[in-house]
Amino acid sequence: MKTVFSESPLLQAEGIEKRFGRVHACNDVSLDLYPGEVLGIVGESGSGKTTLLNILSGRIEPEAGVVEYAVREGGMRDVHQMGAAERRMLMRTDWAFVHQNPRDGLRMNVSAGGNVGERLMAVGARHYGQIRDTAVDWLQKVEMEAGRIDDLPRTFSGGMQQRLQIARNLVTRPRLAFMDEPTGGLDVSVQARLLDLLRGLVGDLGLAAIVVTHDLAVARHLSHRLAVMRRGEVVETGLTDQVLDDPQHPYTQLLVSSILKA
Amino acid sequence: MTAVQSETPRAEADSGYNFAYLDEQTKRMIRRAILKAVAIPGYQVPFASREMPMPYGWGTGGVQVTAAVIGSDDVLKVIDQGSDDTTNAVSIRSFFVRTTGVETTEKTRDATLIQTRHRVPETPLSEDQILVYQVPIPEPLRFLEPRETETRRMHALEDYGLMHVKLYEDIAHHGHIATTYAYPVKVAGRYVMDPSPTPKFDNPKMNHSPALQLFGAGREKRIYAIPPHTEVVSLDFEDHPFEVQQWDNACALCGATDSFLDEVIMDDAGKRMFVCSDSDYCEERRAAGHVGEEGVPL
Amino acid sequence: MEMLKLSGVAKTFQLHTQGGVSLPVMSGVNLTVSQGECLALTGASGVGKSTLMRMIYGNFKCAEGAILVRHGDEWLDLASAHPHAVLDARRRTIGYVSQFLRVLPRVATLDIVSEPARAQGVPDDAARAHAKDLLTRLRIPEALWSLSPITFSGGEQQRVNLARGFAARYPILLLDEPTASLDAENRQTVIEMIIEAREAGSALVGIFHDLEARKQITTHDLDLTVYAAA
């Protein structure tokens, strides 16, 4: 994995607040992410991880706080102050969003090739042959047979669907990926393969990623740094192996000690 | 309410109905929607579609648009699938005759207002004509994205990648773009529009047409428009360019090779013939002396 | 040249899940290792040898004191460095051969071994060539190179781990029981490799229960018993 990081962050969040009724989903959360870096956000269900991911990616508005992103043209832009058009442009070019359930991230009634090609067409690709070649290339990158390019996602296994979702997202070579439990719901054997694939892609593309997971093994293998969330607060951050091997906060210790060692 | 009647029904019309059936306030509401639609070519303008004395699917959107723009000196032509004498065309024509008493015609050239279902006449339109389309489903993105909230946002953000995904799927499954009607177009370089279920054969006629083209969807309560001389581009790929249908046959009656042909089954033995879908065009050619393989000189 | 300097290093484990018990391990640790030296950490089991090694690698947090490593042209205090600086130090400056191999499934042995060199910018084929030399020297049969080491025997895994540790040239190398679970032949090879690294100028810190190996490899000892916290 890449270990040299530039001086300036790609994404920076400051004082994020979000409540749902009486539940404090994000309580004064601040974090930063550097180009090429993978940040894991761990914590149990209901700890606010997914809410935070949705706020960071501009999908929901925080009640307070600022999320800034370093746009390609240079300079930091407030993600929530951008126009809808600009944010959508980011969403289909510079950003990727990988959902836990591939059905949320795929068009189930469109072929694998159409799914992968959609972002290309959205940014103006108008040559069928080239779109198809790129789709084949990406199917192979995610270890799918090129021969399945015209098949519908519903004919694929869960692991294949997840790989297709990843290909569909990475085809425009984004700089930042948001991943919500990318290996959740997959068989253990399939998880390992996907993890390995993700790690390779992140390294090859120089992709920065924020990976929300409750699986500490996923966090260990994918992320450079970890943020541990509990009840809407980030209780501990640091180098991934340090947080997992020498956790400081009581909650992190509980989380780590609750994992069965294989 | 002091509804000032802008038009007086001609003597031939039934008394008891306001001119063109709709009340004047409703016509104004529809005209406002039409003006907005003309101002934003290709954009679907919501309007308060009224109950009409005919079922949805029979052209209630087109009828309301026609009712809002028709005047007592208009000459009306109504066609369904290119033909003036099908049930739908006949009943809509008689509806307007009864409620306005306007003159009607089957000649494209003589009409000032043409209401159509599924075709654009073969005879080129002129600047003093209005073509009104009956539209069942105005949203071109519907089949790929069923959420109206999302399709409206996609239009707003000009997020039209999905439209090409549909064409991509066509080529992937059929080797070519198999969409032959309701073929999506981009209007004035901005909005992607469904040209109603007209065959793609007619798409090129919409481009830079000197006539005003109005689209009415009654059930879906939408009106949209292509102002005269507006660019209308059929979506395609560089390596799979847009093409219109072509036939190996000429019209059996008039010998035309440049018109949209309907295939007509002649008997139980599978005998068939191809004839112009535009009945007026076919008539006009035959009157001018053109004769097809199975035609007889007039 | 001094490569590694620890001053006043202390470590206490707070076990919040076990009634908040506080386990002081060591305090006031000072040590210095220079180029060409190999320091053996000694003391009874539980005295904190592995803990200290892991602190030097940034794997365990150092709450008190300074852990200075010569990183490029400057001293970097790993006890207070940003995680990015720690990762960069691990890439260029400090290698660590732990007792256990921890790798992702499905990744080939050759890729695992050559990875540190590639991370330092060595071209892929050169990194692979060097990895092959190391695997050959450590007697890992060529037939296994393309397989994941997850199913290898303990001794094989340990040798893969060693090969990985020696694949890049780290100015500082930490070795946790490098000769444990090796047969005599491989043990001798590993001893030779460590001595070569030391003579080439690396600064080494190790834990060696194998007394014979320790005698051959190390230049001085540090008994952590004296720093054991009360």
Side-chain angles (χ1 to χ4, degrees), chain A residues 88 92 111 126 128-129, chain B residues 150 159 164 168-169 238-239:
Chain A
R88 185 164 277 229
R92 63 194 187 197
S111 69
R126 292 292 178 264
Y128 175 82
Chain B
E150 183 62 15
D159 190 358
H164 271 88
Y168 170 95
E169 293 289 288
E238 289 160 20
D239 48 345

Side-chain angles (χ1 to χ4, degrees), chain A residues 3 37 220 241 245-246 253, chain C residues 11 14 16 59 84 90:
Chain A
T3 55
E37 182 183 29
R220 182 186 287 276
D241 60 74
D245 294 340
D246 186 19
Q253 289 190 357
Chain C
K11 182 68 185 173
Q14 289 281 344
H16 296 283
N59 177 228
H84 293 168
R90 288 181 183 178

Side-chain angles (χ1 to χ4, degrees), chain B residues 149-161:
Chain B
T149 47
E150 183 62 15
T151 54
R152 302 213 97 200
R153 190 175 299 126
M154 291 163 85
H155 282 295
L157 300 176
E158 219 176 331
D159 190 358
Y160 290 135

Side-chain angles (χ1 to χ4, degrees), chain C residues 52-74:
Chain C
L52 185 60
M53 294 267 274
R54 295 174 83 155
M55 287 164 77
I56 297 172
Y57 196 59
N59 177 228
F60 278 9
K61 212 170 177 97
C62 174
E64 212 180 295
I67 297 174
L68 301 174
V69 297
R70 188 181 290 280
H71 182 50
D73 297 332
E74 51 195 49

Side-chain angles (χ1 to χ4, degrees), chain C residues 11 16 18 22 59 63 99 135 138 145 169 189 212 226:
Chain C
K11 182 68 185 173
H16 296 283
Q18 292 169 46
S22 194
N59 177 228
Q99 277 181 276
L135 288 169
L138 287 163
W145 295 357
R169 302 217 178 277
T189 304
E212 188 52 40
V226 299

Side-chain angles (χ1 to χ4, degrees), chain C:
Chain C
M1 184 162 55
E2 290 179 345
M3 295 302 293
L4 176 68
K5 279 197 293 196
L6 273 62
S7 58
V9 167
K11 182 68 185 173
T12 299
F13 287 109
Q14 289 281 344
L15 304 181
H16 296 283
T17 54
Q18 292 169 46
V21 73
S22 194
L23 274 186
V25 182
M26 65 186 86
S27 64
V29 177
N30 298 309
L31 65 81
T32 303
V33 186
S34 298
Q35 281 184 313
E37 288 182 348
C38 178
L39 173 70
L41 300 179
T42 63
S45 189
V47 79
K49 302 184 292 293
S50 285
T51 296
L52 185 60
M53 294 267 274
R54 295 174 83 155
M55 287 164 77
I56 297 172
Y57 196 59
N59 177 228
F60 278 9
K61 212 170 177 97
C62 174
E64 212 180 295
I67 297 174
L68 301 174
V69 297
R70 188 181 290 280
H71 182 50
D73 297 332
E74 51 195 49
W75 288 101
L76 175 70
D77 181 6
L78 291 178
S80 60
H82 187 275
H84 293 168
V86 177
L87 288 173
D88 192 47
R90 288 181 183 178
R91 184 177 65 88
R92 292 196 285 144
T93 303
I94 309 184
Y96 176 41
V97 179
S98 64
Q99 277 181 276
F100 303 101
L101 183 69
R102 175 134 63 181
V103 292
L104 264 181
R106 291 214 315 147
V107 183
T109 296
L110 193 59
D111 292 330
I112 289 170
V113 173
S114 58
E115 199 255 348
R118 277 201 303 272
Q120 288 187 349
V122 176
D124 191 53
D125 31 344
R128 282 171 172 276
H130 185 49
K132 286 176 184 173
D133 289 346
L134 286 164
L135 288 169
T136 307
R137 194 170 172 193
L138 287 163
R139 299 178 187 83
I140 301 290
E142 192 170 345
L144 300 183
W145 295 357
S146 60
L147 305 179
S148 162
I150 271 184
T151 53
F152 291 5
S153 72
E156 282 164 346
Q157 289 196 359
Q158 172 69 343
R159 280 177 279 145
V160 170
N161 217 6
L162 281 157
R164 181 178 157 86
F166 283 95
R169 302 217 178 277
Y170 296 110
I172 301 168
L173 190 56
L174 311 175
L175 302 159
D176 194 348
E177 298 260 29
T179 57
S181 68
L182 295 183
D183 59 39
E185 242 183 338
N186 283 312
R187 174 175 164 275
Q188 197 49 47
T189 304
V190 170
I191 290 171
E192 283 164 19
M193 286 169 68
I194 296 171
I195 292 172
E196 283 165 24
R198 192 194 71 204
E199 287 175 348
S202 287
L204 309 180
V205 181
I207 300 169
F208 307 94
H209 286 154
D210 174 348
L211 290 178
E212 188 52 40
R214 188 203 295 176
K215 230 185 274 174
Q216 292 183 45
I217 296 166
T218 59
T219 52
H220 51 298
D221 294 355
L222 179 70
D223 186 345
L224 288 184
T225 313
V226 299
Y227 299 113

